[in-house]
Amino acid sequence: MIMSDLQGQIWMDGTFCDWKDAKIHILTHTLHYGTGVFEGVRAYETESGPAIFRLKDHTDRLFNSANLVGMQIPFEKNIIMQAQCEAVSQNNLKNAYIRPLCFYGSEGMGLRADNLKVHCAIAAWDWGPYLGAEQIINGIRVKVSPFPKRNPEAMIYKAKATGNYINSMLALKDALSHGYDEALILGTDNSVNEGSGENFFLVKDNKLVTPKLVTVLDGITRKTIIQLAKDLDIETLERNISVDEVYECDEAFFTGTAAEVTPIIEVDDNKINNGLPGPLTKQLQANYFNLIRGKHDKYNEWLTRVEKK
């Protein structure tokens, strides 16, 4: 998929334009310095039409990220939320991945950003399972990344900022070059951190274990899975996890808006659950898919229906 060749409409600074006309200048500040904030949001087809999952939570995090990096988004939250709905309807999408992005423009060059305009864009397109349709069913192979490690004092880890993802790209490149599907990144204390773009869970003795929010993004899918586990009377422990614990766990999986709930069946050539997705992973995955498609009445308030244009 060549992103620039897709057809459709993209919302930019308050109005929609043709997909191919959504362009910026080569001297755009964020292109040079990674000074943007963004979200990944999904809409799913339901019996009553497409619905965006946890739209308010994603939009709140977008604004929180901007605040953490000192960026003032020039639109109210309700405008950004409405624009995400319109991006789905304008492009006639039943299922959609939505990408809101706020970035500094080309009004000046250099590290200072106090004289720059903040621009906002929202694109939406049909994008299947991030790690692959087959992999989300059968599981993925993961490599523990030797580089880079996350330092809580050197990154604004609570912000979903564009510059934070250079580490993720390098870790993923390393994993792919060695024949794996995804990377598992460590913290500076060598405890497990997260995937290149996902939160990490393991299962041991019928309990969920996930890293503490030290240098880990407070994932919205992560929160959802913890709640679904609670509904099943499954305890979730948030603590440091050693690599050895991962090798010896009963089950493991990644979560994220793009990755959804993806089983991990192998880590550094160590098979998890004999190389098969585990029963609790599959149950949580099934419950999650029911929820996002409007088949879980308890959490219908997490779904924002998209009106047809």
Side-chain angles (χ1 to χ4, degrees), residues 200-215:
F200 174 79
F201 287 85
L202 66 77
V203 179
K204 189 67 176 179
D205 298 328
N206 206 40
K207 293 181 181 179
L208 282 186
V209 187
T210 193
K212 295 186 295 185
L213 297 176
V214 177
T215 53

Side-chain angles (χ1 to χ4, degrees), residues 42 129-142 181-182 198-201 221 225 251-266 277-278 281-282 284-285 288-289:
R42 278 197 188 269
Y130 173 64
L131 293 169
E134 181 179 338
Q135 286 80 358
I136 205 167
I137 297 171
N138 298 323
I140 61 172
R141 299 176 63 245
V142 173
D181 301 301
E182 183 54 283
E198 308 89 9
N199 289 116
F200 174 79
F201 287 85
T221 310
I225 290 301
E251 307 176 35
F253 58 92
F254 279 135
T255 65
T257 297
E260 299 169 314
V261 180
T262 300
I264 298 170
I265 57 170
E266 192 174 310
T281 300
K282 291 194 291 186
L284 288 169
Q285 184 190 66
Y288 179 76
F289 286 152

Side-chain angles (χ1 to χ4, degrees), residues 181-290:
D181 301 301
E182 183 54 283
L184 188 61
I185 301 173
L186 306 180
T188 54
D189 61 355
N190 287 326
S191 66
V192 171
N193 195 273
E194 58 189 354
S196 69
E198 308 89 9
N199 289 116
F200 174 79
F201 287 85
L202 66 77
V203 179
K204 189 67 176 179
D205 298 328
N206 206 40
K207 293 181 181 179
L208 282 186
V209 187
T210 193
K212 295 186 295 185
L213 297 176
V214 177
T215 53
V216 174
L217 185 69
D218 190 6
I220 290 168
T221 310
R222 177 184 185 272
K223 293 177 182 177
T224 304
I225 290 301
I226 290 172
Q227 182 59 52
L228 290 177
K230 184 178 179 180
D231 291 344
L232 296 171
D233 292 325
I234 302 296
E235 183 181 2
T236 300
L237 305 176
E238 298 181 64
R239 60 169 175 80
N240 288 348
I241 301 171
S242 70
V243 174
D244 286 342
E245 284 184 272
V246 178
Y247 294 157
E248 297 170 0
C249 70
D250 299 327
E251 307 176 35
F253 58 92
F254 279 135
T255 65
T257 297
E260 299 169 314
V261 180
T262 300
I264 298 170
I265 57 170
E266 192 174 310
V267 179
D268 285 350
D269 298 326
N270 295 280
K271 290 188 182 299
I272 309 297
N273 191 43
N274 295 318
L276 298 171
L280 181 54
T281 300
K282 291 194 291 186
Q283 184 173 16
L284 288 169
Q285 184 190 66
N287 289 359
Y288 179 76
F289 286 152
N290 283 334

Side-chain angles (χ1 to χ4, degrees), residues 14-32:
T15 59
F16 280 93
C17 66
D18 188 78
W19 194 279
K20 292 184 181 295
D21 294 330
K23 300 175 181 179
I24 59 173
H25 195 274
I26 192 63
L27 294 181
T28 295
H29 191 276
T30 295
L31 180 61
H32 294 259

Side-chain angles (χ1 to χ4, degrees), residues 20 30 63-64 72 79 102 105 180 238 255 283 302 305:
K20 292 184 181 295
T30 295
F63 277 76
N64 290 339
Q72 182 65 46
I79 299 297
C102 301
Y180 293 84
E238 298 181 64
T255 65
Q283 184 173 16
W302 282 345
R305 311 292 173 180

